[in-house]
Amino acid sequence: MTRWHVAAVLLDMDGTLLDTEKVYLEASIAALRTLGYTDGVTELCHAMIGIPGPDNERTLLNHFGDDFPLDDVNRLFAVNAAEILHAGMPLKRGVIDLLDAIEAAGLPKAIVTSSSRSTAAEHLRLARIDHRFDAILTRDDVSRAKPHPDLYLLAASRLGTTANACVAIEDSNPGVASAHAAGAITLMVPDIVPPTEQSRAKCAAVLPDLDAAIALLATRSVLPVRA
């Protein structure tokens, strides 16, 4: 197979490395239903996966109207999510193997997330992988977050390269749009929401899990072949 000449690996956080999207989804739906919003909330919350929090707040206000109790929803969401995560920050299967393989290949790696800097720092700390990245890029670092390409362009620059010399691994359609627009070789490992046809067209591959991503990157001479 064709060798990919890769200088760095860029990794989404929620839903890709951390198994948090299910937590966010459950906490969001529960908060809305507690306040009496039931019709179509599951579909609405699915559509907000991979989108920065401030953009999702605008989506809720646009959907429900200006009298929507945003502060109450945010408060309930935070309480719900904290209760679920109290037992620990769950990792997606294959995360440690992926990080080990990237390090064995001598490639720098960065987190590229729509979360805030404080949230990313806390969640990576709870997952005990915060020390394993050369850079952590969040929505606080750019004026336009995903699905715009700015985060990926900045992440590549921080690692001393360009986005088209990077592999990006994402789980969401907005994330795929961001990485592809930046010019990165984009792999999608879907979490909750399946890839759209547009996302499939933007990906070098859509894979079932991170183990499959490791195997593909090994065939492309990006990562070492497993013994």
Side-chain angles (χ1 to χ4, degrees):
M1 299 183 77
T2 304
R3 176 187 176 92
W4 287 347
H5 297 282
V6 171
V9 180
L10 309 177
L11 301 159
D12 174 56
M13 187 178 74
D14 293 306
T16 301
L17 301 184
L18 307 184
D19 200 7
T20 47
E21 292 292 12
K22 291 172 184 166
V23 174
Y24 296 155
L25 181 65
E26 181 180 338
S28 297
I29 292 171
L32 288 167
R33 287 180 172 166
T34 296
L35 294 172
Y37 297 91
T38 56
D39 292 342
V41 296
T42 299
E43 294 78 7
L44 181 63
C45 291
H46 274 154
M48 296 192 293
I49 290 174
I51 302 294
D55 292 342
N56 285 334
E57 289 181 353
R58 285 190 286 273
T59 295
L60 290 169
L61 289 171
N62 290 337
H63 184 84
F64 292 111
D66 292 337
D67 59 347
F68 179 73
L70 188 59
D71 289 343
D72 291 337
V73 168
N74 284 338
R75 176 180 55 79
L76 287 170
F77 168 82
V79 170
N80 293 340
E83 287 180 356
I84 297 169
L85 292 174
H86 182 70
M89 180 60 62
L91 288 175
K92 300 288 285 188
R93 191 184 77 182
V95 168
I96 301 303
D97 286 344
L98 174 62
L99 298 180
D100 288 346
I102 295 170
E103 290 169 10
L107 295 172
K109 54 190 179 301
I111 288 287
V112 185
T113 177
S114 292
S115 291
S116 67
R117 178 160 296 280
S118 60
T119 296
E122 176 67 4
H123 285 187
L124 291 169
R125 183 189 67 81
L126 289 172
R128 300 182 179 180
I129 58 171
D130 52 318
H131 61 290
R132 304 202 62 173
F133 303 95
D134 301 282
I136 297 174
L137 284 298
T138 74
R139 71 169 188 239
D140 297 332
D141 295 303
V142 292
S143 58
R144 302 187 307 168
K146 301 175 187 180
H148 298 285
D150 305 38
L151 266 174
Y152 275 102
L153 293 170
L154 182 59
S157 177
R158 290 278 178 88
L159 296 182
T161 187
T162 57
N164 59 9
C166 296
V167 165
I169 304 180
E170 275 281 356
D171 74 291
S172 72
N173 292 301
V176 165
S178 175
H180 179 265
I185 300 169
T186 306
L187 305 181
M188 186 178 190
V189 180
D191 183 28
I192 296 174
V193 179
T196 63
E197 288 306 311
Q198 292 90 338
S199 288
R200 287 186 179 277
K202 293 172 181 175
C203 291
V206 176
L207 302 161
D209 51 42
L210 291 178
D211 288 330
I214 296 168
L216 173 63
L217 292 172
T219 68
R220 297 293 187 170
S221 301
V222 176
L223 299 181
V225 176
R226 291 182 179 181

